[in-house]
Amino acid sequence: MTDKYTQFVSRGFGKDIAKRLGLPQPVVLRRHQPGEPLVRGPVLVQGSGGGADELAAALLSWDLDVRRHAVPREKLGAIILVLDEAARPEDLEKPVLAAAASLRDLAANARVVTVSRAAAGAPGPAAAAARQGVDGLLRSLAKELRAGATANGIVLADGAGTTSPSALGALRFFLSGRSAFVDGQFLTVSTTAGQQPADAEKPLAGKVAVVTGAARGIGAAIARTLHRDGATVVVVDIPAAGDHLATVANEVHGTALQLDISREDAGARIIGHAVERHGRLDIVIHNAGITRDKLLANMDQGRWNSVIAVNIAAQLRINEALLASEHFRDAPRIVSVASTSGIAGNRGQTNYAASKGGVIGMVRATAPLLAAHGGSINAVAPGFIETEMTARIPFATREVARRLNSLQQGGRPGDVAEAIAFLASDAAGGISGEVLRVCGQNLVGA
Ligand code: NAI
């Protein structure tokens, strides 16, 4: 599905017309291309204190053009606002207003990233107020940015610092084109676990990953992205999708497993296939999902049960098998696909939203169980993504749904895949039990 409107208003005549009529002006987003620079332009690190200094030093080691003070009229690729030492709301003023003075100098598709501390661990009400204040600040700023620029935040829990491996991993993700459709969101780094990859272009080298529902749509995009990042990929889908599944498996030089994930023995089959064919299992992506929409007043047992069975009960059962398996103990990673419907609700989707809300609850409760093996589990919640599913929405409804986010466009399957690939990597090892929305900061349930 192509978004012809975004292409039309991105340049020349179309751009002029949209501007004059006050129409939405989405731009073509900067997306990751192997070999491309992390950011386009210098990176300004705002904020005083040891955490900001250490972060700036780390960025220099990535060969970025780092500034500690703005250079007048210089176009910036990113602003990093380090607020980890804010102890009272008044402490936000200096660094925030210093960064404000540079906002007009942001280049197209630039990035703003805040780094702050978790309100939950604050030593008192004033510190909690300052920390929670960053939440509102960041989400509002994301709504002010234009031209494909995004703002996202890294939250450090007690024990994590500005240069903890996953703080740097999250920073790299947010700065890069991999996070093109992630806007107004936070990632909490809860531990100092995780490590930077030896090769930034192949962060999943040596890993074996399973992706369910991979015959088409978002699942196929996940398989391609994990393969690009160096993983050996097993693609799983129902037997009826066998032909498409084989095509995807060939494309990613992986193997196909025809399997209905709601079968009792699905977990054992997945582990068995990965270990027999590839010798190990490191990553499981729960992507397979179905919708059977109906208003609750008209809901029947079949629609309710099938959605719960595929979207959440199957994942719970497979996870039980994974947790019990001796083959899933070497820093294992699970990433599950939720949905913004499971967070904000959606008319006609009570069954689907219950299942996707269920995914979020499951992820939070499973995180401590995987921690024992140095593992992690997270969810990604996509918003409006251009797929066969959303192409079937009637034109006017689709056009409205697609513009109702800060980036004024739908995301691509690859955008969801990028977030999943990051959370499946060791760079995200200190992030667990989190839900990352890939929704362009959807105005619904923002
Ligand atoms: P899709 O319908 O294009 O693909 C889903 C795949 O899962 C299909 O290949 C299907 O055969 C497979 N599948 C279904 N039941 C299965 C089962 N029992 N066992 C094995 N495979 C099974 O869907 P799409 O759009 O690619 O969505 C992927 C995931 O993303 C789903 O979990 C969906 O709920 C979620 N999502 C999608 C959004 C969108 O805008 N497209 C938005 C939010 C979430």
Side-chain angles (χ1 to χ4, degrees), residues 212-220 236-238 241 259-263 286-291 310-311 314-315 337-341 352 356 380-390 392 413 416:
T212 69
R216 65 179 201 190
I218 294 172
V236 177
D237 212 297
I238 49 173
L259 172 72
D260 180 339
I261 56 154
S262 55
R263 281 176 55 131
H286 290 302
N287 162 77
I290 58 170
T291 50
V310 174
N311 293 6
Q315 296 191 15
V337 181
S339 165
T340 47
S341 293
Y352 183 74
K356 294 298 189 180
V380 165
F384 185 97
I385 304 298
E386 308 280 359
T387 62
E388 288 174 38
M389 189 175 96
T390 47
R392 284 198 297 271
V416 181

Side-chain angles (χ1 to χ4, degrees), residues 6-29:
T6 297
Q7 286 164 357
F8 178 67
V9 300
S10 282
R11 47 186 182 269
F13 176 65
K15 191 172 176 176
D16 287 347
I17 288 210
K19 198 170 180 181
R20 257 187 253 156
L21 297 179
L23 294 171
Q25 287 186 274
V27 302
V28 176
L29 302 178

Side-chain angles (χ1 to χ4, degrees), residues 359-371:
V359 165
I360 294 170
M362 174 273 282
V363 157
R364 286 186 183 138
T366 309
L369 308 179
L370 274 167

